[in-house]
Every structure is written in C-alpha cells, then in structure tokens.
Amino acid sequence: DAPRYAERLAVEMRGQIRVVPVDEVDFIQADGAYAEIHAGDAAYVVRERMQALEAKLDPGRFMRIHRSTIVCLDRVEALLTAPGGDYAVRLADGRKLRVSRSRRDELAARLGMDG
C-alpha cells in the first residue's frame, strides 16, 4: 500500500482546533520550535518541527526548498535567480520565498525545468 499522506493539518487557534485542508496550503515556514502554515490570506502557527510536517505531506506535491521553508509545487509560478547566486521562487500570489542552493537543481527538475 502506498503511504497515506495527511489531507488536513490540525492547527490550534484561540483554544480551538481548526482543520486546514492540505489542498489550501501554499507554503510552510519554520520559526524556531514553531511553524507557520500559510493558506491563502491566513497564517496558522503550529508547534511542530519542519521534519514532522514534511513527513506528513505528499512529496509529489510539496518540497522543502530551504531548511525553513516547504512549498506547494503547484503554487510556484517562477524560479528566480538573484545577483550573487541566490535563488527564490515566486508564487502565483506574488510572494517570494528563498531557495537554498543545494535544493535548487532538484526544484528545477521537479518543476520540469532544465538547468
């Protein structure tokens, strides 16, 4: 059987547990012991490590592009190269996220780009 990945992530907000469908997640950014799940205009803080979150997400749809960032590949609109050899992705909503050099080639391949 293929491994089952999470279809929703539970986030605690003001004393209640909300459920965020994985389909709505644009990207996740780490902040110390916490992670911020960005879905549309909303951002939810969860007390979970990136490794644990990464393990729950379908690697066919999500990729760790930086030690502190996981992105939904469907939301990536462009791969940007900045002066000095820094890389970033631009999401469909215009937001930019840093890409670490070591992950750039894999990301390009996963997005179907050569290089």
Side-chain angles (χ1 to χ4, degrees):
D1 260 3
R4 297 272 307 161
Y5 295 105
E7 288 175 17
R8 46 194 80 72
L9 299 172
V11 297
E12 202 172 327
M13 278 182 70
R14 300 185 198 92
Q16 55 176 320
I17 305 282
R18 288 254 332 245
V19 172
V20 179
V22 166
D23 288 345
E24 292 176 13
V25 174
D26 299 320
F27 65 97
I28 300 173
Q29 230 154 13
D31 187 9
Y34 296 87
E36 235 177 44
I37 298 170
H38 293 264
D41 295 333
Y44 307 96
V45 175
V46 292
R47 195 185 170 96
E48 204 157 355
R49 298 230 167 255
M50 290 300 268
Q51 257 167 314
L53 285 165
E54 190 178 18
K56 288 182 184 180
L57 298 168
D58 179 351
R61 297 175 58 201
F62 291 88
M63 184 182 158
R64 184 106 168 235
I65 57 168
H66 192 274
R67 65 188 159 76
S68 60
T69 311
I70 296 170
V71 72
C72 174
L73 293 168
D74 290 344
R75 304 292 198 276
V76 175
E77 189 179 79
L79 183 55
L80 312 170
T81 307
D86 286 335
Y87 299 105
V89 289
R90 186 176 67 233
L91 304 186
D93 65 8
R95 284 188 279 201
K96 291 180 183 157
L97 305 172
R98 285 187 53 197
V99 176
S100 57
R101 277 178 209 202
S102 59
R103 299 174 199 263
R104 186 227 171 252
D105 290 345
E106 184 193 342
L107 177 62
R110 303 254 325 252
L111 292 172
M113 302 170 179
D114 291 324

